[in-house]
Amino acid sequence: MTALPPGPAAHARRAALPVALCAALAAALAGCGEDPDAGTNGVGKLEAAAIEKKAKTAADAADAVRVAGTLVSKGGTYKLNMRLKKTGGVGSVTSKNSTFELLRVEDALFLKADAGFWVHAGSDGEGGDAEPGEEDQAAAEKLDDKYVKVPEDDPAYKQLRGFTDMNVLLDGLLGLHGKLSKGDRSTIGGVRTIKIMGDGGNGGTLAVSLQGTPYPLQLDRAGDAGVLTLGEWGRDFPLEAPAKEETVDYGRQLPRDSP
């Protein structure tokens, strides 16, 4: 008996089989060839502890940085937007529904705020709700939008200076707690990053740049203690003491209700 030639359906199945195999093989080869670290600085290949070390080394070597976001510290919540370098810093801090500016050049620290801030700070040294008197209002008007030099022996000096000290602020922020592990890759401001986590994220999460220098770019602090972004690494900015006509000497000590 003569075998019948295969029909069109059989030819189609035979043709489809090698095409499918080729497609699957191509996909497998492409997947094997993909390198998530291609075009990066390579820190994504390192263990979490090594990534953290690289990030801290990069931060320590930088001349300047901008720190912005929310910081919860010692029962207070602060919103920061500070530009910092080795010789000082400048920027704004929002605390207790008040916003004030800080400027430090070497050891000289200045605080600038509107009259409302000074009325609240000066009207009741015990932090109560006493209504400001005429004398308080008049004093506050003189300080409105002026730079007030903070005396170095004032109790507020050390706390306020900490917001302007690049080394102190970064040393206090960049430490993660618990066993370190690697997290997801993502982008921050268009920059590819890799996350490292302390205690699975409970000890904080740090996003480190995968492009260029491995700077830390975002910190989620442990215990919901704030989220901060770090950028403009190494970008210099002018830092000068305010002019004499813009400065007011409050005296030996700021009001006790000031930050």
Side-chain angles (χ1 to χ4, degrees):
M1 179 182 294
T2 303
L4 295 175
H11 280 298
R13 286 194 296 270
R14 290 177 184 176
L17 183 61
V19 170
L21 287 173
C22 288
L25 181 61
L29 290 174
C32 293
E34 287 179 357
D35 182 1
D37 294 296
T40 73
N41 53 25
V43 299
K45 299 177 181 179
L46 304 177
E47 296 297 324
I51 297 175
E52 181 187 46
K53 184 177 180 180
K54 288 273 189 183
K56 286 186 174 181
T57 299
D60 289 342
D63 295 324
V65 66
R66 180 190 288 273
V67 180
T70 303
L71 174 65
V72 180
S73 177
K74 297 180 180 178
T77 300
Y78 305 92
K79 185 176 181 180
L80 309 183
N81 188 0
M82 300 295 302
R83 297 192 70 183
L84 310 170
K85 59 183 179 180
K86 303 299 184 181
T87 55
V90 61
S92 64
V93 180
T94 298
S95 170
K96 299 179 183 177
N97 298 318
S98 296
T99 298
F100 55 93
E101 296 179 28
L102 291 174
L103 168 64
R104 183 176 64 84
V105 183
E106 299 295 350
D107 291 327
L109 177 64
F110 301 88
L111 188 155
K112 182 180 180 181
D114 61 18
F117 172 89
W118 292 111
V119 165
H120 175 71
S123 62
D124 185 1
E126 300 302 321
D129 297 321
E131 289 296 325
E134 292 184 6
E135 185 177 340
D136 295 319
Q137 187 68 47
E141 291 296 336
K142 293 180 180 179
L143 300 176
D144 181 52
D145 209 30
K146 297 286 187 181
Y147 286 98
V148 176
K149 188 172 183 180
V150 182
E152 291 187 39
D153 58 354
D154 188 291
Y157 179 87
K158 184 176 181 180
Q159 179 186 8
L160 293 172
R161 181 190 170 110
F163 290 121
T164 68
D165 192 312
M166 181 175 174
N167 291 334
V168 169
L169 197 59
L170 292 181
D171 286 347
L173 292 176
L174 294 182
L176 300 175
H177 307 288
K179 184 178 180 181
L180 296 180
S181 59
K182 292 164 69 171
D184 296 334
R185 295 166 185 257
S186 60
T187 59
I188 296 176
V191 178
R192 295 165 66 184
T193 65
I194 185 167
K195 292 181 179 179
I196 53 175
M197 304 177 295
D199 190 23
N202 294 322
T205 301
L206 186 67
V208 179
S209 175
L210 287 173
Q211 298 174 221
T213 305
Y215 289 121
L217 298 185
Q218 181 171 295
L219 172 68
D220 291 60
R221 301 186 73 212
D224 295 324
V227 179
L228 294 162
T229 59
L230 303 98
E232 300 181 23
W233 287 99
R235 187 181 301 177
D236 196 15
F237 58 93
L239 192 62
E240 298 179 354
K244 187 174 181 179
E245 60 270 18
E246 297 178 313
T247 308
V248 174
D249 186 359
Y250 190 93
R252 297 189 61 183
Q253 185 172 311
L254 298 179
R256 280 179 290 168
D257 196 39
S258 61

